[in-house]
Amino acid sequence: MQPDTEIQGFYLCKEKHLRKTRTGELFVDVVLSDSTGTVGAKIWQNVNKLSQRFEKGDAVAVRGRTEIFQEKNQILINRINKATEARYARYGFKPEKLVLSSPYNPEKMWSSIGEVINKIENPFLKKLIWQLYKKHKKRLITMPASLSMHYTYRSGYLEHVLSMSRIAIPFARHYKADVDLLISGVLLHGIGKLVEFTDSMIPEFSDRGSFLGHSVLSRDMVVNEARKIKNFPSELLLQVEHLIVTHEGGFRSGYDYRGKTKEALLLQVLDSLDAKMSVLKKLLSEDIEQGKWTNKRNYFGTSFYKNETKESD
């Protein structure tokens, strides 16, 4: 962005605040972002009219002029509307361009997960997973895996469970565990994040998510769906419930819901391993420390060697 330049484009409204100047005049203080970064913006004219056209979390179509304020670029907005694909697709608007997204194509990941589900031999588990996934496909292909920890970007949930699925099968076979049961745990343990997170471009914790957490919500969703399947074995459902409610437990002392099956222990390890590798990947990509080692002020509390080997697809 160059100063004193007319701009128009699509952004994500990360923050919106109605404020007053020292003389009592209303203005709107806004923070806009896309996949390249963030910029501050102001609305000084037609404040009441323009303020009603969008909310925090909306994708917006913006027209305005850039200026320098306190040595930083900002946009003086003169036109703004909530952007939808129905209205703005012909102008090149795509929501996924506004936020950090998985490097992998979500539709291809969806197809890969479908292949995993189709290989499940147990007909009850296969039907249970397909019913939940097909019912919620629209959200599942865009939802992050978490809001602050691992796979925090758009389509991160699909990337997370697909990554886990690919290592779960050899794990299960090596330790002579039930492959179908472990894969079911992988694909269902976080399904409750559909309720835990709000459905917006900038997801937040919902009230139910804050009160109950995704493990409880996942269990509820799975139990309710299993009841719609005729003669679903109660013992099998109990095993799946156990996988879900214990997947976060690990070996932490004082945690009530510890894994009591081979599959539950494997799911805990897989989930923790894949989440930590996602955090490490982000840490290495964002580190600006000079030299061969990262800064030690991070989630792991230690420095990591910066291996220059490129990741393969």
Side-chain angles (χ1 to χ4, degrees):
M1 284 186 174
Q2 298 300 318
D4 197 29
T5 302
E6 293 289 337
I7 65 102
Q8 62 180 6
F10 302 108
Y11 302 91
L12 188 62
C13 177
K14 294 189 70 174
E15 294 183 29
K16 175 189 175 185
H17 305 282
L18 192 63
R19 305 191 191 280
K20 287 184 178 181
T21 65
R22 292 179 180 178
T23 58
E25 294 181 87
L26 282 175
F27 71 98
V28 185
D29 193 10
V30 179
V31 175
L32 302 173
S33 72
D34 62 14
S35 60
T36 67
T38 61
V39 64
K42 299 285 192 297
I43 299 175
W44 296 105
Q45 306 295 327
N46 300 317
V47 172
N48 290 325
K49 179 180 178 181
L50 295 181
S51 180
Q52 294 174 11
R53 293 181 176 179
F54 71 102
E55 298 295 338
K56 174 185 173 183
D58 286 343
V60 290
V62 171
R63 179 177 292 177
R65 174 173 286 275
T66 58
E67 70 166 10
I68 298 295
F69 178 70
Q70 294 182 345
E71 299 184 356
K72 291 183 180 180
N73 277 320
Q74 77 168 10
I75 299 174
L76 300 180
I77 298 172
N78 53 54
R79 289 186 64 182
I80 186 168
N81 281 301
K82 181 177 179 179
T84 63
E85 289 187 276
R87 184 174 182 180
Y88 288 101
R90 59 179 174 164
Y91 300 109
F93 171 64
K94 291 185 178 180
E96 58 268 24
K97 291 184 177 180
L98 304 184
V99 293
L100 187 64
S101 299
S102 170
Y104 305 105
N105 184 292
E107 288 293 343
K108 289 183 178 179
M109 288 194 289
W110 178 265
S111 296
S112 296
I113 286 175
E115 292 173 6
V116 172
I117 298 173
N118 285 333
K119 289 179 181 178
I120 294 175
E121 296 180 0
N122 186 294
F124 294 102
L125 293 175
K126 181 185 290 187
K127 187 171 185 178
L128 172 64
I129 297 168
W130 263 133
Q131 286 184 184
L132 281 167
Y133 268 63
K134 287 181 178 178
K135 182 186 298 185
H136 300 288
K137 178 182 177 181
K138 185 177 180 181
R139 287 282 312 284
L140 288 172
I141 64 174
T142 62
M143 187 173 70
S146 73
L147 301 188
S148 61
M149 181 72 170
H150 58 289
Y151 299 98
T152 55
Y153 40 76
R154 185 181 176 89
S155 304
Y157 174 81
L158 278 192
E159 188 180 340
H160 177 44
V161 296
L162 181 57
S163 175
M164 289 178 65
S165 297
R166 286 171 171 164
I167 54 178
I169 294 174
F171 264 42
R173 289 173 178 166
H174 180 78
Y175 291 106
K176 296 180 172 57
D178 187 315
V179 175
D180 285 356
L181 198 55
L182 181 56
I183 288 295
S184 299
V186 167
L187 296 177
L188 296 175
H189 76 278
I191 198 79
K193 292 178 182 181
L194 290 164
V195 182
E196 184 182 35
F197 303 155
T198 58
D199 183 14
S200 62
M201 295 291 290
I202 309 176
E204 299 177 322
F205 285 106
S206 66
D207 290 343
R208 292 187 69 196
S210 295
F211 277 120
L212 301 176
H214 69 269
S215 293
V216 172
L217 295 169
S218 296
R219 175 187 176 274
D220 289 348
M221 289 180 67
V222 167
V223 169
N224 290 335
E225 199 64 34
R227 287 173 179 163
K228 301 174 186 177
I229 300 174
K230 187 176 180 180
N231 298 322
F232 197 102
S234 58
E235 177 67 22
L236 180 62
L237 179 57
L238 189 61
Q239 292 263 23
V240 176
E241 290 179 73
H242 178 67
L243 287 167
I244 293 170
V245 299
T246 62
H247 81 272
E248 294 182 285
F251 299 97
R252 288 181 288 174
S253 60
Y255 195 86
D256 293 333
Y257 297 105
R258 299 193 181 191
K260 302 179 188 299
T261 65
K262 191 181 293 186
E263 293 77 21
L265 291 179
L266 286 173
L267 180 61
Q268 290 172 351
V269 171
L270 286 168
D271 189 39
S272 176
L273 171 64
D274 196 66
K276 287 177 180 176
M277 294 308 294
S278 171
V279 173
L280 177 58
K281 181 179 179 180
K282 182 179 180 183
L283 184 161
L284 291 171
S285 69
E286 295 179 352
D287 184 79
I288 58 174
E289 196 79 8
Q290 296 292 321
K292 297 180 179 180
W293 295 86
T294 70
N295 193 299
K296 66 171 61 176
R297 292 189 295 274
N298 55 56
Y299 169 80
F300 300 98
T302 189
S303 298
F304 281 89
Y305 183 69
K306 299 178 185 179
N307 191 332
E308 297 298 325
T309 302
K310 299 294 184 182
E311 284 192 29
S312 64
D313 291 335

